[in-house]
Amino acid sequence: MGIIVSKFGGSSTANAQSLKRIDCLVRASPARRCVVLSAPGIDESHSEKVTAMLERCWNTRKNPAALAHAVSAVMNRFRDLCAGLAISDMTDLVERTVYDAVAISLPHTLSRGEYLCALAFSKYARLPMADAAGLIAFNTDGTLDEDRTRRNLGRLAKSDTPVVVPGFYGAAPDGSIRILPRNGSDITGALAAAGMDADLYENWSDVPGVMTADPALVPNARLIPHIGYRQMRALARAGARVLHPACLDPVAMAGIPTRLRNTMDPDSFGTLIDERCEVTVRCVAGQPNAFLPDRRQACRITVFAVPFDRVLDAAGPMAPLGTIAKKEQTVVYFSQERYAEALRYLHRVLIEEAG
Ligand code: ASP
């Protein structure tokens, strides 16, 4: 039987109900042998990610009253989580962990959301937890020690029981906690998949998969069921936030497909990212507030796999500030205030009307 590494983002770990859902998914397939978790994120009842709450603990560390307030917010969050999961209360442990962390470093403090979440889930699911400090190995200069990381993670493949791994952090040779970039649990999952020589990397979140454009701004955006790594990399770098761009290389290089799935709709296919996918997908991604070297206030919109002349056609009121044809994509610039309008326009002209 193959090995699946399943990473669950903060929207999928936000509350007890979502963690129970993860437990069901893990039990549904014996191939799911590694469960990588983000810190609890935002949901209908929580407007702040645990990582942001921990950042506040760090920022208030020199003001005892403000720190106590910030720490108690984290304690409350985990108190609710433990109560909802009917596991023994972790409030004292959370308090000690956060106070100790703010006395150590910012990375240590930020990493505790993933650590505590993985701990709570492993208790609930009765699965072993492997601390990422012993798996994701950093060099002293802060770069990733890829060989040691691969060897450490490879050992997880020997266990028949699914292992719970906190995302986002690792440790340097002296044991100090180091973190990956923000939203870096995606990278932990990809490293685990590569290290365990997995057959599939599943990335679960609250979105259906890769869309032809940001669905929050483009209501007609469609789901893309298959996309190649090359195009996905370009899309992620251009601003599509479905996946951290740095998580693509470890899996692509190991020839492991990545499947984006929606925790709220586990029966839907999602998006499969595969090296073997040759199809060029029409999609639009961009980043508001991106600076151009020569136009400090301009935003950037990147259009992929779009015939260049179609973009040049865009005359009249929606004429772009500029267009640059690159090897694998066409980059179109609009002014910052027109970001949403331009994205909708490009999607309509280049995707909807093009069929
Ligand atoms: N919790 C971390 C962050 O907020 C990492 C992650 O969610 O992947 O950036």
Side-chain angles (χ1 to χ4, degrees):
M1 188 198 316
I3 294 181
I4 300 177
V5 170
S6 309
K7 181 260 163 177
F8 294 88
S11 55
S12 309
T13 61
N15 53 57
Q17 204 50 42
S18 357
L19 288 176
K20 286 181 182 174
R21 215 172 284 130
I22 296 178
D23 181 52
C24 292
L25 289 168
V26 174
R27 301 207 179 273
S29 166
R32 293 195 175 112
R33 299 256 297 282
C34 177
V35 184
V36 177
L37 300 181
S38 277
I42 293 168
D43 65 7
E44 315 79 56
S45 332
H46 304 100
S47 57
E48 202 179 16
K49 283 172 147 197
V50 164
T51 314
M53 296 160 86
L54 289 165
E55 195 167 13
R56 199 142 36 81
C57 295
W58 173 259
N59 290 338
T60 55
R61 69 195 183 283
K62 295 190 180 129
N63 175 338
L67 174 61
H69 192 257
V71 175
S72 77
V74 183
M75 289 159 68
N76 289 341
R77 187 84 191 251
F78 279 97
R79 182 181 293 120
D80 289 352
L81 208 60
C82 293
L85 294 174
I87 55 170
S88 54
D89 187 65
M90 287 170 52
T91 320
D92 290 347
L93 174 73
V94 173
E95 184 176 29
R96 240 180 304 123
T97 304
V98 180
Y99 272 107
D100 287 352
V102 294
I104 298 173
S105 69
L106 175 63
H108 196 112
T109 306
L110 295 184
S111 72
R112 296 305 86 185
E114 271 71 12
Y115 172 80
L116 292 166
C117 180
L119 203 61
F121 179 74
S122 72
K123 266 200 210 184
Y124 172 74
R126 294 176 198 275
L127 293 174
M129 166 178 155
D131 189 349
L135 298 172
I136 308 295
F138 284 85
N139 296 306
T140 311
D141 67 4
T143 55
L144 194 70
D145 182 336
E146 291 177 21
D147 290 341
R148 213 147 48 88
T149 298
R150 197 175 313 112
R151 275 200 306 278
N152 291 341
L153 290 161
R155 278 184 222 120
L156 298 184
K158 298 197 179 95
S159 154
D160 290 336
T161 328
V163 181
V164 183
V165 175
F168 186 43
Y169 72 94
D174 64 359
S176 60
I177 295 292
R178 303 292 173 97
I179 49 173
L180 292 159
R182 292 306 300 267
N183 302 315
S185 300
D186 282 349
I187 307 170
T188 308
L191 292 170
M196 292 175 76
D197 197 16
D199 298 271
L200 181 68
Y201 173 34
E202 283 181 336
N203 193 298
W204 293 83
S205 69
D206 61 348
V207 296
V210 183
M211 310 288 287
T212 48
D214 179 350
L217 299 175
V218 182
N220 292 343
R222 300 182 211 137
L223 180 72
I224 300 170
H226 289 98
I227 188 165
Y229 271 111
R230 206 166 33 86
Q231 211 186 350
M232 187 62 224
R233 199 176 287 115
L235 197 58
R237 287 203 184 118
R241 287 170 314 214
V242 269
L243 267 184
H244 196 292
C247 83
L248 297 166
D249 284 342
V251 263
M253 273 153 51
I256 301 167
T258 295
R259 188 160 162 203
L260 303 192
R261 307 194 63 178
N262 185 351
T263 329
M264 303 308 289
D265 186 11
D267 294 329
S268 66
F269 183 80
T271 297
L272 187 68
I273 311 165
D274 197 335
E275 205 62 280
R276 286 162 295 190
C277 176
E278 299 291 338
V279 190
T280 303
V281 179
R282 281 170 177 267
C283 45
V284 180
Q287 253 171 302
N289 308 319
F291 286 111
L292 292 174
D294 55 338
R295 291 178 198 271
R296 288 193 57 79
Q297 284 309 308
C299 83
R300 187 178 79 183
I301 294 194
T302 309
V303 184
F304 295 96
V306 163
F308 187 51
D309 55 348
R310 292 301 306 267
V311 176
L312 282 184
D313 281 349
M318 284 309 293
L321 292 175
T323 306
I324 301 172
K326 295 193 172 180
K327 205 164 125 230
E328 289 170 0
Q329 69 200 48
T330 300
V331 183
V332 192
Y333 301 102
F334 288 88
S335 67
Q336 183 163 306
E337 315 78 63
R338 307 188 82 184
Y339 176 66
E341 189 193 355
L343 196 62
R344 277 193 282 273
Y345 170 76
L346 289 170
H347 192 267
R348 182 166 54 75
V349 175
L350 304 166
I351 298 170
E352 291 162 44
E353 286 174 7

